[in-house]
Amino acid sequence: IVVLDAERQFVACDVPGLIADAHEGRGLGLKFLKHLERCRVLVVLVDVTAESPRADADVVLRELTEYDPTLAARARRIVLTKADLLAPELHATAAAGAELPDARLISAHSGEGIDALLEELWAELAGEPAEADS
């Protein structure tokens, strides 16, 4: 449960590593994908230090589409993780460099970007208009 304050909280579900052909039952794919059916907003976490973050995101998005096109059409955010492993001067251009221009950059280690992401998710869940980034 994510608690933003006394009146704002939501349930988040972690579905680890969908792999290629998960929609066909490879690995624990079908079990993971079934959990997503109850989610209103999907957050695709991609390691910013991966060889190709774009390719990794594409695998997950393709699996969602193959499993259920309506699931793939749900509100979603692409989030690049492990910002703490990038040089600070690369943070501003990390999403473009990963070929994921709409992605957010976060670090679970340092906390960078986490609060802003959670607020954005709350706004989406509450049906509030998104605020422009400052």
Side-chain angles (χ1 to χ4, degrees), residues 54-72:
R54 175 65 194 221
D56 292 350
D58 286 346
V59 166
V60 173
L61 298 175
R62 189 171 36 257
E63 290 306 314
L64 292 174
T65 301
E66 292 293 328
Y67 177 72
D68 181 353
T70 61
L71 185 59

Side-chain angles (χ1 to χ4, degrees), residues 13-18 21-39 67 71:
C13 168
D14 178 23
V15 179
L18 286 179
D21 298 325
H23 72 281
E24 294 177 344
R26 188 166 176 224
L28 295 175
L30 291 176
K31 288 182 182 181
F32 290 160
L33 287 163
K34 280 191 143 319
H35 283 293
L36 297 179
E37 292 174 348
R38 298 183 302 179
C39 298
Y67 177 72
L71 185 59

